[in-house]
Amino acid sequence: MKLSIYENRSLTIKAFFDKYSKDLVELITLTSLYIHLRAGGVITEANEQEFKEQGVGEFKQLEKLLLFMKKQKEEQVRVFCKALISTNQKHLVQDYFPAYYKQCNMFADPSVDTPDGPKSPVAATTTNDSVTERMDNAPSPPNNDPDDQPPSDMYS
């Protein structure tokens, strides 16, 4: 069973990464992840170079990154989730960090609805479900076809 740090307060960030690092190492793709983590202030260039030691493959880099992440605070974990979402790995955030998913995804994916409704008018048309929902709830356009008008009381 996959738990979220938010949903199980007794599971600390350290315990979470201890428990799920083995799974995450096999699932995470590093492509562009470092860029997002550096931009979010989670890692420095020196950290990145440490993870990428000469001759170290992606698997070992991920082990080092996750070992580093288990020592971080919630804000850095949020940035980590945003980085995963930004690198097309939102399914991992949905599965392993479900409580973070919605709050992280609101910033990375404009099609996500906020508690007050769609984030923007454009957002309502970005996914098939949103388009269908919008079409189902839209008022019917006015009928201007003269052959399809109800009889008028003009002759009464």
Side-chain angles (χ1 to χ4, degrees):
M1 184 172 133
K2 296 173 186 166
L3 301 174
S4 156
I5 295 166
Y6 267 134
E7 291 173 354
N8 185 350
R9 289 286 182 180
S10 64
L11 189 61
T12 65
I13 291 171
K14 180 186 179 309
F16 175 85
F17 280 102
D18 283 342
K19 185 170 184 171
Y20 294 111
S21 285
K22 186 175 179 182
D23 294 342
L24 292 170
V25 162
E26 294 176 12
L27 299 170
I28 293 174
T29 303
L30 275 176
T31 307
S32 304
L33 193 63
Y34 287 136
I35 294 167
H36 293 279
L37 293 174
R38 282 180 55 198
V42 174
I43 65 170
T44 64
E45 187 174 351
N47 295 133
E48 182 177 350
Q49 292 311 313
E50 182 184 324
F51 302 148
K52 291 180 172 181
E53 281 179 14
Q54 190 170 358
V56 174
E58 187 169 304
F59 187 83
K60 190 69 173 168
Q61 288 180 47
L62 281 166
E63 284 181 337
K64 290 179 177 187
L65 174 62
L66 295 174
L67 182 64
F68 175 84
M69 287 306 302
K70 80 178 191 178
K71 300 172 187 170
Q72 303 307 302
K73 295 185 169 47
E74 281 196 41
E75 184 54 38
Q76 286 77 23
V77 175
R78 282 189 195 97
V79 174
F80 178 73
C81 290
K82 289 177 193 178
L84 288 171
I85 291 167
S86 296
T87 57
N88 298 318
Q89 300 180 78
K90 74 177 181 180
H91 59 284
L92 297 176
V93 180
Q94 288 171 312
D95 292 346
Y96 288 89
F97 305 91
Y100 284 123
Y101 175 70
K102 186 167 181 145
Q103 100 191 118
C104 292
N105 201 30
M106 285 191 304
F107 301 108
D109 183 353
S111 68
V112 172
D113 290 347
T114 64
D116 299 325
K119 189 172 182 182
S120 70
V122 174
T125 61
T126 58
T127 65
N128 290 338
D129 292 339
S130 297
V131 171
T132 303
E133 182 179 329
R134 185 172 176 208
M135 291 174 70
D136 290 344
N137 295 330
S140 300
N143 185 353
N144 294 328
D145 183 359
D147 294 332
D148 198 25
Q149 294 294 323
S152 103
D153 294 338
M154 170 170 145
Y155 298 107
S156 6

